[in-house]
Amino acid sequence: MMSYVWIFYICITGIYAGIRTNRAFGSHPATIKVSENDTVLLPCYVEDQGVQTRVRWWREEILLADSFEQDKTSSERYTVYRNGSLQILHIQLEDRGEYVCQAIRPAPWGYVTQVREIEVMYPPSIKTVPASGELEVNLGEEVDMRCEARGVPFPNISWRTKNEEIPLLDDRSQLKFHADNRNFSGRYTCVANNGVGDPAVAHIDLRIKYKPEIYVRKPWVHTYPGIRVKLDCTVTAWPEAEVEWYFKNETLKDSPQVMELNIGNDHSLIIKNVKTTDYGSYFCRASNILGTTEKTVELTAIANPAVFKKESRSTSNTSYNFIWEVDSYSPIIEYQFWFRKYKRDVGGKWHKLFIPDGTDAVSPVHTRSFNLTGLNAATHYEAVVLSRNRYGWSHPSEILHFHTEGASVGYSENLEIDDSQKQNRVPVVKLMPMSQHYPLAADTNGSCNQTKMLSLILSILCIIYLDYNVRQQI
């Protein structure tokens, strides 16, 4: 029975001693965040129990300061105050880590310890991978770029390009994607921010290598002997391409009859004094290590394609008046006018009319008005026009959508057609046989006469049939 009493006494004494120990050290934050060059005070609060207390501060088993031996501190930056707190001046990055406060008292208290931690905060820094800040990949290859950041707290990283933030699901130091589009080239900026000081910024310039691409705004250039003319092509490539002009499979680089003008991506060939022998196909050829591309520019005296004017309009429910304009240094001899009924994505049979120019005006700009009659009311149509001068027939004009009065608004003129549809439909007109000597309006008047004849025959047959029935009844 006595043994149980002693066990109970020892337990109670231990719990009481633990309570006294906990009361001697209050609850305080274990981690203290400071910036470089700040002064920090590490608390080591010890309640006054009426006995002398010796306080020592340790770091990695190295004694930093002793309250009983103030002259033996490991550095002049350390000071221990009477309440046990440790002051550290001019905090540096290497001061981060754990600090142990040891309070020593005579028996029966013994000693207790408490751990403090210093976290030295510093602004973010960043470096790129590749370190040069430049990255080149071939079109279609994988892009892998990174920004490695440092700082306390650890920085968040975001990315920007072309003045817009790249939407990512999370903060990341790495960007990986396929260079499927050459327009992905450009400057990529990574920004590291941890709320301490200014954000750190770094740049990676991405260049996507691709074979030359050529854009020709005017693949058909109209000219006339004796004038000066300019052929243009725009070339984009990386690495930059070498551009040359060719005519009849020969380079024009050293020809005295021409002059080359290059401004940025725009490359021009200037023919100083056009001769008939200069007519033909010119090739803008661009080459780099990834390949060669060329586009054709046709130099000809054939008229430019006609352009329908906005003044074209419906004049009745069965007629429409067209006005078009043609650039041609030579007089226009005649026009081909093609038209057909049209529903969305479904076209009818083309009808062709030959229209003489009808003017003797000497001008590089030719305007023609033509009133087309015999159309169906409230019907949608489309039309193209070609023009002929002494050098031949021009290319077709752009397709004009029009309708007679009563048709639904917004169906024809406002009908939007993409480039692929135009390419599928305009060549149909190009490839049609172009007879030179059909009479004007043969299609419209001829079809009208055939209809009248058919109606007359049907009327005669009806009369004969009725007369026969009457005779049978008699």
Side-chain angles (χ1 to χ4, degrees):
M1 182 65 180
M2 288 297 295
S3 60
Y4 287 108
V5 172
W6 277 107
I7 293 173
F8 179 75
Y9 174 77
I10 292 170
C11 290
I12 293 298
T13 304
I15 293 172
Y16 178 72
I19 292 174
R20 291 203 306 167
T21 301
N22 290 337
R23 288 180 61 194
F25 277 75
S27 177
H28 300 283
T31 301
I32 298 176
K33 297 182 179 181
V34 295
S35 300
E36 285 187 283
N37 296 315
D38 281 354
T39 296
V40 66
L41 189 65
L42 301 181
C44 186
Y45 297 112
V46 180
E47 292 183 3
D48 187 5
Q49 300 294 326
V51 295
Q52 193 174 33
T53 303
R54 183 176 187 177
V55 176
R56 287 179 172 180
W57 281 93
W58 302 79
R59 181 166 181 250
E60 297 178 355
E61 299 183 357
I62 298 174
L63 180 62
L64 302 180
D66 189 328
S67 63
F68 279 15
E69 298 179 358
Q70 294 280 3
D71 56 338
K72 292 185 178 181
T73 56
S74 62
S75 171
E76 294 181 353
R77 296 192 299 126
Y78 300 133
T79 301
V80 178
Y81 290 102
R82 296 184 62 182
N83 63 0
S85 299
L86 176 68
Q87 176 182 275
I88 307 174
L89 301 176
H90 308 300
I91 287 290
Q92 301 300 310
L93 186 59
E94 58 269 19
D95 292 325
R96 67 183 184 274
E98 291 187 349
Y99 292 75
V100 178
C101 170
Q102 184 184 54
I104 305 170
R105 292 176 176 178
W109 291 275
Y111 69 90
V112 290
T113 60
Q114 186 174 19
V115 178
R116 303 294 186 191
E117 183 176 358
I118 293 179
E119 185 177 279
V120 182
M121 298 187 299
Y122 57 95
S125 61
I126 201 165
K127 64 178 182 179
T128 62
V129 179
S132 63
E134 296 182 352
L135 178 62
E136 288 189 356
V137 298
N138 291 328
L139 186 66
E141 290 183 346
E142 185 177 66
V143 176
D144 186 350
M145 62 177 70
R146 285 176 291 158
C147 281
E148 297 179 348
R150 297 181 62 190
V152 177
F154 190 80
N156 293 323
I157 297 177
S158 59
W159 292 84
R160 299 181 63 85
T161 186
K162 297 178 174 62
N163 295 323
E164 293 184 0
E165 186 166 344
I166 300 175
L168 300 173
L169 296 178
D170 52 10
D171 296 321
R172 63 182 66 179
S173 60
Q174 184 179 34
L175 274 185
K176 292 181 72 174
F177 57 91
H178 281 89
D180 297 328
N181 190 325
R182 65 176 179 83
N183 292 324
F184 290 162
S185 295
R187 170 161 287 189
Y188 288 75
T189 301
C190 54
V191 181
N193 188 10
N194 67 353
V196 180
D198 295 328
V201 177
H203 308 286
I204 298 177
D205 292 318
L206 173 64
R207 295 187 179 94
I208 298 175
K209 296 187 289 186
Y210 61 98
K211 67 180 293 186
E213 297 178 1
I214 302 177
Y215 168 73
V216 174
R217 186 175 63 86
K218 293 179 64 177
W220 178 279
V221 178
H222 175 64
T223 188
Y224 195 75
I227 68 173
R228 179 188 179 102
V229 71
K230 183 163 72 79
L231 314 181
D232 301 301
C233 70
T234 301
V235 178
T236 56
W238 186 262
E240 291 185 0
E242 181 180 352
V243 179
E244 289 187 287
W245 288 90
Y246 285 81
F247 181 61
K248 296 179 180 178
N249 292 324
E250 295 184 0
T251 180
L252 298 174
K253 193 170 186 178
D254 300 319
S255 173
Q257 303 299 324
V258 301
M259 179 177 66
E260 293 188 28
L261 179 63
N262 303 320
I263 302 176
N265 293 331
D266 297 325
H267 301 265
S268 302
L269 180 73
I270 299 173
I271 304 175
K272 303 174 184 177
N273 188 357
V274 174
K275 302 179 178 59
T276 55
T277 54
D278 295 325
Y279 295 157
S281 298
Y282 290 76
F283 294 93
C284 174
R285 184 173 298 168
S287 304
N288 67 6
I289 59 175
L290 297 178
T292 299
T293 305
E294 64 180 29
K295 283 290 182 72
T296 304
V297 180
E298 191 76 18
L299 184 65
T300 178
I302 293 173
N304 279 330
V307 177
F308 284 103
K309 305 296 288 183
K310 292 182 179 179
E311 291 77 11
S312 300
R313 61 183 180 86
S314 176
T315 52
S316 72
N317 60 355
T318 58
S319 63
Y320 199 94
N321 188 67
F322 300 89
I323 302 175
W324 62 79
E325 195 173 83
V326 177
D327 293 334
S328 175
Y329 290 106
S330 299
I332 298 297
I333 300 170
E334 63 177 337
Y335 299 96
Q336 281 190 51
F337 186 87
W338 297 75
F339 72 99
R340 68 175 179 177
K341 292 181 182 179
Y342 179 75
K343 294 182 179 180
R344 187 180 296 274
D345 299 328
V346 179
K349 180 182 177 181
W350 285 101
H351 300 281
K352 177 178 63 176
L353 305 175
F354 284 88
I355 305 170
D357 177 62
T359 63
D360 297 325
V362 179
S363 170
V365 180
H366 304 262
T367 302
R368 184 68 166 89
S369 176
F370 170 64
N371 192 50
L372 179 62
T373 60
L375 299 172
N376 292 340
T379 304
H380 294 271
Y381 292 86
E382 60 182 1
V384 295
V385 66
L386 301 85
S387 54
R388 181 170 73 88
N389 62 15
R390 56 180 289 198
Y391 295 97
W393 285 101
S394 71
H395 284 212
S397 67
E398 292 285 338
I399 291 178
L400 173 70
H401 295 88
F402 67 98
H403 61 77
T404 51
E405 292 179 1
S408 57
V409 179
Y411 181 78
S412 56
E413 287 88 349
N414 296 331
L415 183 64
E416 294 186 0
I417 300 177
D418 59 30
D419 292 338
S420 61
Q421 289 177 306
K422 288 182 180 178
Q423 292 172 0
N424 290 335
R425 290 161 59 194
V426 173
V428 174
V429 180
K430 288 184 181 179
L431 297 176
M432 287 184 175
M434 299 181 180
S435 303
Q436 303 292 318
H437 301 294
Y438 285 139
L440 176 64
D443 294 86
T444 53
N445 293 336
S447 60
C448 182
N449 291 334
Q450 290 176 3
T451 302
K452 291 180 179 179
M453 182 63 70
L454 182 59
S455 299
L456 179 62
I457 292 172
L458 290 174
S459 299
I460 294 172
L461 290 174
C462 289
I463 293 171
I464 294 173
Y465 176 75
L466 293 172
D467 182 67
Y468 173 76
N469 285 338
V470 170
R471 289 177 181 275
Q472 288 292 104
Q473 294 175 0
I474 295 174

